[in-house]
Amino acid sequence: KLYGGRDSAHAHLLAARRLDPANMAVQEGVVTLAGLLQANAERTIRENRLEEAGNWLQAAIALDVNHSKIASIRANLEAARIGNVRADRSRVLLLANQRIAQNRLLEPAGDSALHYVDLLRASDPGFEGLADTRILLATRALDESRKLAAAGNLDRADSFLRAAADAGAPDSEVTAITAQITAARIARPAASTSTPSVVPEKDMRRTRFVPP
């Protein structure tokens, strides 16, 4: 039981060193334990168990032995953490591009291109490749908004237009489609009081289909 709690080698050796710091047996025990803790920290870094590696390293730091080795392990741990973060962000960017290719721009809410782009923008707005993906998302969302506006699906056209604007679509194109949607709303005849609140399926026309 190397460390953790009051009944561990770590706790007992620290207590012994406080009582008799010049004792050779205590000094040798501290050095031996420090070596074991450092070795475990290095092993768990290689195995990508970084939280556990951090615990081993903190325990080794408390023993105050072999500062150069501690500095090396700390550097390796931070490099592994940075590498993991970059790999995670690369996966998020890949998912965003996959959803664009699948035309899953806004839906489902937790697994759409917009969702993954927003995640990456929040964590690392300057991440390599994100700007190109945002441009692609904006372009595709603008296209969808135009099609929906032309088909009379104005509320949904608005949703895609907002997503396009947020992703950085050119102001001129956003303004043009906004005007198209506004004009369509103005031209739309007022709803008749006799219009049923539930539209029968036979009266509906499918405008888009996404296979399950």
Side-chain angles (χ1 to χ4, degrees), residues 77-191:
L77 178 59
E78 288 308 310
R81 284 173 173 157
I82 292 169
N84 278 1
V85 168
R86 182 167 182 80
D88 287 342
R89 290 173 180 170
S90 294
R91 282 192 289 272
V92 172
L93 185 63
L94 176 62
L95 285 168
N97 285 299
Q98 286 177 341
R99 297 302 176 265
I100 292 173
Q102 296 162 354
N103 206 33
R104 292 162 61 179
L105 305 182
L106 310 186
E107 297 170 353
D111 187 27
S112 65
L114 181 63
H115 170 73
Y116 293 118
V117 165
D118 283 347
L119 283 180
L120 202 47
R121 286 174 65 190
S123 61
D124 189 353
F127 190 75
E128 183 181 357
L130 176 59
D132 291 336
T133 299
R134 287 185 65 192
I135 291 171
L136 181 58
L137 174 59
T139 301
R140 295 289 294 274
L142 281 174
D143 289 343
E144 286 294 323
S145 184
R146 286 192 195 95
K147 292 175 187 175
L148 290 163
N153 194 341
L154 304 183
D155 290 341
R156 191 155 174 76
D158 256 339
S159 297
F160 278 92
L161 186 60
R162 285 194 300 271
D166 190 52
D171 290 342
S172 58
E173 296 194 49
V174 172
T175 300
I177 300 175
T178 300
Q180 180 185 351
I181 293 171
T182 302
R185 284 203 167 105
I186 293 171
R188 177 180 284 174

Side-chain angles (χ1 to χ4, degrees), residues 191-197:
S192 168
T193 55
S194 61
T195 301
S197 59

Side-chain angles (χ1 to χ4, degrees), residues 12-23 26:
H12 290 308
L13 281 169
L14 286 177
R17 188 168 64 180
R18 284 193 296 270
L19 291 170
D20 190 359
N23 186 290
V26 171

